[in-house]
């Protein structure tokens, strides 16, 4: 042993334990581990940069408005309803020839759908007729001719009424009126008999006395019920 070296003084067990604890706290981890491991924040930064690099360009695209907390701001679209919503609720039209494939509910829905379409078309015709009438009434030449035509019709009716008062022509006019009523009665009778013929035979054709074939056509109308 070297005489210049000072003898090491023995330390209490508590002091040795303390030295060991201090050494463990201040001893850094292995140098290689520290150099390899990257801070968490560095990894997140690299991930963000990579995402930005592959993100598609939004240049020229207006960003949606957002509120202070970052949520999308609600946009007031008003009371406008997309047309496709109405079209989805409206039943699809079915050709009349294929009506046999519908049940009672389907037929009722189809009738109501066509009734709505009929009302819309009638309103459109009324509006178009009004536009045409306004345009014609604003034309001076047309209105002048219209006035002349009205005057001519009044004059013609006056002359006709005067001629019909003649006894000979009065009899002819009366006969014409009687024949018109008779024709109406005959047609009503034919319709009644043809309806019974169709109900009993199920046929839609009938051969006339002259050998000519007549087709039976049924006509049904839908009108509002009178209260």
């Amino acid at each position: 042993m070297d005489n210049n070296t000072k003898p090491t003084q023995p330390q209490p067990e508590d002091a040795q334990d303390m030295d060991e604890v201090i050494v463990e706290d201040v001893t850094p981890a292995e140098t290689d581990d520290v150099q390899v491991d990257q801070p968490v924040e560095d990894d997140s930064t690299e991930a963000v940069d990579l995402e930005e690099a592959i993100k598609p360009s939004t240049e020229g695209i207006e960003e949606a408005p957002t509120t202070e907390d970052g949520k999308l701001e609600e946009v007031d679209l008003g009371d406008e309803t997309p047309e496709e919503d109405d079209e989805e609720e409206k039943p699809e039209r079915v050709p009349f020839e294929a009506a046999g494939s519908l049940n009672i509910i389907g037929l009722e829905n189809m009738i109501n759908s066509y009734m709505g379409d009929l009302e819309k078309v009638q309103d459109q015709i009324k509006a178009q007729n009004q536009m045409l009438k306004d345009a014609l009434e604003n034309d001076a030449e047309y209105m002048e001719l219209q006035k002349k035509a009205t005057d001519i019709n009044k004059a013609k009716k006056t002359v006709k009424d005067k001629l019909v008062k003649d006894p000979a022509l009065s009899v002819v006019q009366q006969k014409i009126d009687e024949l018109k009523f008779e024709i109406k009665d005959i047609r009503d009778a034919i319709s009644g008999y043809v309806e019974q013929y169709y109900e009993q035979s199920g046929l839609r054709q009938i051969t006339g006395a002259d050998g000519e074939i007549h087709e039976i056509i049924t006509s049904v109308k839908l009108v509002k019920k009178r209260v």
Side-chain angles (χ1 to χ4, degrees):
M1 178 181 295
D2 190 354
N3 294 330
N4 294 329
T5 303
K6 295 181 180 181
T8 303
Q9 297 293 333
Q11 296 180 356
E13 294 179 0
D14 294 340
Q16 292 179 357
D17 295 338
M18 185 178 297
D19 291 340
E20 292 177 358
V21 172
I22 294 174
V23 169
E24 291 177 356
D25 289 343
V26 300
T27 300
E30 295 182 1
T31 305
D32 295 339
D33 296 338
V34 174
Q35 293 177 352
V36 173
D37 294 338
Q38 298 294 333
V40 176
E41 56 184 4
D42 292 341
D43 291 340
S44 62
T45 303
E46 293 179 359
V48 172
D49 294 341
L50 180 58
E51 182 179 356
E52 292 294 334
I54 65 175
K55 185 177 181 181
S57 174
T58 58
E59 183 178 357
I61 301 177
E62 184 179 355
E63 295 184 357
T66 57
T67 57
E68 295 180 355
D69 55 359
K71 296 181 179 180
L72 290 177
E73 182 178 354
E74 295 182 358
V75 180
D76 186 9
L77 299 178
D79 297 333
E80 296 182 358
T81 303
E83 297 181 357
E84 53 269 20
D85 294 344
D86 295 339
E87 294 180 357
E88 291 179 358
E89 296 178 358
K90 185 178 179 180
E92 183 180 358
R93 285 187 175 186
V94 177
F96 176 73
E97 294 77 6
S101 61
L102 299 176
N103 54 22
I104 298 298
I105 301 299
L107 290 172
E108 183 177 353
N109 292 337
M110 198 57 55
I111 291 172
N112 291 331
S113 175
Y114 275 100
M115 288 178 62
D117 293 342
L118 177 61
E119 184 176 355
K120 291 179 181 179
V121 174
Q122 289 175 338
D123 292 340
Q124 292 177 5
I125 292 178
K126 186 184 297 184
Q128 296 297 322
N129 285 334
Q130 186 62 41
M131 292 174 59
L132 178 60
K133 180 181 178 182
D134 295 341
L136 294 176
E137 290 179 350
N138 290 331
D139 187 85
E141 182 180 2
Y142 174 83
M143 291 304 299
E144 182 180 358
L145 294 175
Q146 179 68 22
K147 184 177 182 305
K148 290 181 179 180
T150 303
D151 295 339
I152 292 175
N153 289 332
K154 288 182 179 179
K156 184 174 67 173
K157 184 177 184 304
T158 301
V159 174
K160 178 181 179 182
D161 292 342
K162 181 180 179 180
L163 294 174
V164 170
K165 290 180 180 179
D166 182 89
L169 293 179
S170 177
V171 173
V172 174
Q173 182 64 46
Q174 183 178 0
K175 186 64 176 179
I176 292 174
D177 294 339
E178 292 176 356
L179 292 175
K180 287 181 179 180
F181 280 111
E182 184 177 357
I183 289 176
K184 182 179 181 299
D185 292 340
I186 293 175
R187 285 179 174 174
D188 291 341
I190 292 175
S191 296
Y193 286 118
V194 168
E195 182 179 1
Q196 295 181 26
Y197 175 84
Y198 171 71
E199 290 178 353
Q200 295 182 19
S201 66
L203 301 177
R204 287 190 172 273
Q205 290 183 348
I206 185 172
T207 303
D210 55 358
E212 186 176 357
I213 298 177
H214 300 268
E215 185 178 2
I216 300 175
I217 300 177
T218 56
S219 177
V220 181
K221 295 182 179 180
L222 186 64
V223 297
K224 292 184 178 180
K225 183 179 179 180
R226 296 182 179 180
V227 180

